[in-house]
Structures are given as C-alpha cells and as structure tokens.
Amino acid sequence: MRIIAGRFRGLALASVGKGDAGAHLRPTTDRVRESLFSMLSGGRFGDPIEGARVLDLFAGTGALGLEALSRGADHVTFVDDGRKAMSLIRANVAKCRCVDEVTVVKRDATRLPEGQPHNLVFLDPPYGKGLGEKALDAAIKGGWIAPDALVVWEDSAPITLPDGFELLDTRRYGDTVISILKHG
C-alpha cells in the first residue's frame, strides 16, 4: 500500500498482513484510492482537496487522509478506536513526517464529542453494520461537518441517503461502493 500522488508519492505505508491481529481492518486498495482521488481531482466537484480540513472516520491505516494531505489538504483528523488502527495511523503519520498537520482521535466514530467543521469527510465503516449512518449523524450533531462539505462514503452496497445530503455520484469497484455526498 503506497501513497499514489503528491508530496508523499510512492511512500510505502504500514498496513495489516494476513493473520495479523488487525486483520479485521480493510484498507482501501491502491486502485480504489487512485480512482477515487482522480474523481475528486477531476474538477467535477470543484477542488475539494486543496486547502481542505479532512475528517477521516474509521481511519484504519490513515491511507485516505494521508493521500489527501499529500495532495494539498491543510489538516487531517483521524478517528478510530482500534488499538491496531491507532498504531498504524501513528506509524504512517511518522513515515510521512506530518505530525503537525494531523490530529489523531482514539474514539468510537459513532460517539463523537463536539468538534471543528471539516469540508472533506472520508467515511469507511465496517461493512454491513449500519455504523456509517450513526457516525455521520454523530459528526453532524457534533459540528464536525461544514456546510457544503463533501462526504466520501465507502461501503459494500449502495447507501441509504441521509437527510440533509445530496448524492452526487456512486461508483462500484468490485465489492466496494463509493458514494459521494454533499452536505446541504
């Protein structure tokens, strides 16, 4: 698993291996990340990455947030509550030498306290457990999502559109469905 483009391009990231204690983590593949970021950078959604405050919920390895930081985001907040995920995020932040540009929050993404608004949100919950809806609701109630923010939601099936959001695009990559929403 590597950073695809930008200032950290080519940097190999720490990830989980087969039989690893964190094997329940499901990092977004390089191919899906490359397609996703090509879509985000293509101009259809303006320029949601440059200068963005990014919220990476269920951050896992931190690959999505670090890819955004590599491509010009100003700050990334990683949220995950797993021990292995915290270890991987910290290792990958250290590899990127970007500790001053990130905040790491060890917390259940469905139980967020009040926070700062972010204009680009990556939401990659465990598939099929309904946690994406709960995390998005907690983020909205806690003030984590700015008006007009883009939300990139990765799941195994098309999502049910939450109130207050507009579906802008949906793409399927094998068993992964990426939905791009706008908070309105």
Side-chain angles (χ1 to χ4, degrees):
M1 187 169 64
R2 298 187 176 281
I3 297 292
I4 307 297
R7 65 185 171 134
F8 308 139
R9 180 181 52 227
L11 184 68
L13 297 175
S15 188
V16 292
K18 291 187 185 214
D20 197 340
H24 65 281
L25 294 174
R26 181 194 28 77
T28 303
T29 66
D30 289 355
R31 180 173 90 59
V32 172
R33 258 186 306 112
E34 184 170 11
S35 297
L36 168 62
F37 278 90
S38 291
M39 189 171 33
L40 290 175
S41 301
R44 179 172 171 210
F45 307 109
D47 188 358
I49 300 169
E50 187 68 36
R53 287 189 52 80
V54 177
L55 178 61
D56 192 347
L57 295 171
F58 303 99
T61 64
L64 288 170
L66 290 169
E67 186 75 42
L69 198 61
S70 181
R71 293 172 183 244
D74 280 351
H75 185 271
V76 179
T77 300
F78 297 103
V79 178
D80 207 304
D81 65 350
R83 241 185 4 241
K84 183 64 177 179
M86 286 289 103
S87 173
L88 289 168
I89 292 165
R90 288 185 177 107
N92 288 330
V93 166
K95 282 180 172 235
C96 292
R97 297 185 180 133
C98 61
V99 70
D100 294 338
E101 300 165 84
V102 306
T103 303
V104 179
V105 178
K106 185 177 190 319
R107 184 133 189 157
D108 180 338
T110 66
R111 294 188 172 112
L112 294 171
E114 288 191 19
Q116 302 275 339
H118 294 73
N119 51 338
L120 179 58
V121 179
F122 294 112
L123 180 62
D124 187 8
Y127 287 175
K129 296 185 177 181
L131 297 176
E133 293 84 348
K134 292 176 184 173
L136 197 54
D137 186 54
I140 291 166
K141 287 178 179 171
W144 291 83
I145 301 180
D148 296 326
L150 274 188
V151 175
V152 178
W153 189 337
E154 184 176 334
D155 215 317
S156 60
I159 60 163
T160 301
L161 192 63
D163 290 339
F165 286 88
E166 172 187 358
L167 181 64
L168 301 179
D169 200 348
T170 301
R171 306 274 173 102
R172 178 176 286 279
Y173 303 93
D175 67 346
T176 300
V177 176
I178 301 281
S179 300
I180 299 183
L181 317 176
K182 183 175 182 182
H183 183 238

